[in-house]
């Protein structure tokens, strides 16, 4: 098996310990990533992310790895549970810190001092450039000497603005469009910033896609809502990076299902493998985690939803 890359900086120690255990388990088995993907049913790109520490493996993948490598499943799943809790705590701290960042008003906003009233350092000359004393080329130093260049500059600026408006307006008349005088519509909005490296979708492009495969279920994802139905935990998982949510159940049995609903959009996931205790839905785009609801329908007939 090729040498793995170094784990990402800042990874929680519990998560790092779990990833190192995954690596040792795979190395001892002698399986390549392609063969591992074929035997476990989880894609090769996913296993690359799991083993590089870019994405926490789901419990189903951990159980499948234990089965194909002959590793005691309890040890791996216990370490996974500790890593999962640590990741959720880190995600919650990150979200609280983001919400607490103060907004600093821009300098020069209405109501702040204008250039003529500023003290030293405010709107002054750049560092290293001498401050002008107000002496003109004729050497005058009276109270109004320093204002003359400013007045002239202001008049020139006004003339430029008026001249530009005259030219753009077609000689001073009202500006018209080719559509019979209706004002032109605003241009297209600027494209949103691209998602971070390893994240493959954002917003509506995530609807219907797998949170694990797209990188949305990385360490920044958090549990936004949770409830318990019988012994099964139901969660709304949310990625602020992707602007999407999905439903997840753990402690489940075959036949249990989970669905996530946002408005009229619904996605569903079901536990099918006899050895699996986890299922999650495809994602649905959301503006806020509060917009999503996750519900479980158990094979026993019990049902329940997150608040």
């Amino acid at each position: 098996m090729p040498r793995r890359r170094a784990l990402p900086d800042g990874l929680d120690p519990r998560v790092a310990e779990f990833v190192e255990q995954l690596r040792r388990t795979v190395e001892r088995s002698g399986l390549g990533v392609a063969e591992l993907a074929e035997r476990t049913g989880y894609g090769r790109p996913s296993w690359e992310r799991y083993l590089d520490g870019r994405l926490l493996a789901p419990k189903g993948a951990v159980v499948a790895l234990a089965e194909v490598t002959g590793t005691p499943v309890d040890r791996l799943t216990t370490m996974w549970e500790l890593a999962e809790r640590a990741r959720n705590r880190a995600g919650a701290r990150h979200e609280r810190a983001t919400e607490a960042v103060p907004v600093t008003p821009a300098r020069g906003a209405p109501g702040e001092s204008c250039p003529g009233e500023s003290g030293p350092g405010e709107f002054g000359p750049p560092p290293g450039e001498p401050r002008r004393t107000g002496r003109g080329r004729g050497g005058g130093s009276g109270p109004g000497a320093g204002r003359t260049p400013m007045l002239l500059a202001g008049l020139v600026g006004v003339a430029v603005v008026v001249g530009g408006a005259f030219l753009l307006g077609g000689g001073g008349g009202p500006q018209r469009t080719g559509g019979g005088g209706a004002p032109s519509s605003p241009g297209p909005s600027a494209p949103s910033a691209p998602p971070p490296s390893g994240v493959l979708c954002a917003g509506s492009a995530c609807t219907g896609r797998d949170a694990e495969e797209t990188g949305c279920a990385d360490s920044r994802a958090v549990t936004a809502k949770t409830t318990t139905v019988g012994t099964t935990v139901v969660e709304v998982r949310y990625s602020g990076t992707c602007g999407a949510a999905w439903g997840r159940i753990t402690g489940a049995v075959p036949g249990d299902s989970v669905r996530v609903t946002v408005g009229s959009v619904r996605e569903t996931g079901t536990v099918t493998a006899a050895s699996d205790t986890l299922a999650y839905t495809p994602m649905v785009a959301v503006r806020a985690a509060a917009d999503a609801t996750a519900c479980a329908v158990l094979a026993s007939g019990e049902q329940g939803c997150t608040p």
Side-chain angles (χ1 to χ4, degrees):
M1 182 175 179
R3 182 178 178 83
R4 309 300 313 183
R5 68 174 68 179
L7 294 178
D9 293 335
L11 202 62
D12 185 279
R14 292 282 192 183
V15 178
E17 182 183 8
F18 171 69
V19 175
E20 292 288 3
Q21 181 62 44
L22 284 188
R23 290 180 172 186
R24 288 192 293 270
T25 301
V26 174
E27 287 171 2
R28 284 196 298 266
S29 72
L31 297 174
V33 177
E35 190 176 6
L36 183 64
E38 182 180 352
R39 292 195 182 188
T40 61
Y42 288 80
R44 179 171 180 166
S46 293
W47 275 112
E48 291 286 356
R49 294 190 184 99
Y50 304 156
L51 296 172
D52 286 345
R54 290 178 289 157
L55 190 65
L56 183 65
K59 191 173 184 179
V62 175
V63 172
L65 175 65
E67 290 176 349
V68 301
T69 59
T71 303
V73 68
D74 289 346
R75 173 172 173 76
L76 282 182
T77 54
T78 298
M79 295 184 70
W80 175 84
E81 288 168 358
L82 294 173
E84 168 79 352
R85 285 198 290 269
R87 184 188 69 166
N88 287 344
R89 286 195 300 270
R93 286 195 300 270
H94 173 77
E95 197 167 75
R96 287 194 297 270
T98 302
E99 292 173 352
V101 173
V103 178
T104 304
R107 293 176 60 181
E112 295 185 5
S113 61
C114 62
E117 301 169 345
S118 61
E122 290 291 327
F123 302 98
E129 182 179 329
R131 181 178 294 275
R132 289 177 172 80
T133 61
R135 293 181 182 270
R137 297 181 69 178
S141 59
R147 295 193 180 98
T148 302
M150 295 176 64
L151 178 59
L152 291 174
L155 292 174
V156 171
V158 170
V160 170
V161 171
V162 172
F166 181 85
L167 292 174
L168 292 174
Q175 185 175 354
R176 298 183 182 274
T177 66
S184 59
S185 60
S189 58
S192 59
S197 175
V199 177
L200 306 182
C201 69
S204 59
C206 292
T207 296
R209 300 187 66 178
D210 188 293
E212 299 279 356
E213 297 291 344
T214 56
C216 294
D218 62 9
S219 59
R220 289 164 290 203
V222 297
T223 295
K225 300 178 183 179
T226 185
T227 191
T228 303
V229 180
T231 59
T232 300
V233 177
V234 189
E235 301 168 277
V236 170
R237 297 285 294 168
Y238 171 69
S239 168
T241 303
C242 295
W246 59 99
R248 184 175 72 176
I249 50 175
T250 53
V253 299
D256 291 352
S257 65
V258 57
R259 69 175 182 267
V260 63
T261 305
V262 177
S264 61
V265 182
R266 176 181 294 181
E267 297 286 353
T268 304
T270 304
V271 179
T272 55
S275 60
D276 217 346
T277 59
L278 174 148
Y280 59 93
T281 72
M283 293 183 289
V284 177
V286 290
R287 291 185 179 274
D291 296 340
T293 301
C295 300
V297 179
L298 307 185
S300 64
E302 291 182 90
Q303 302 183 30
C305 299
T306 56

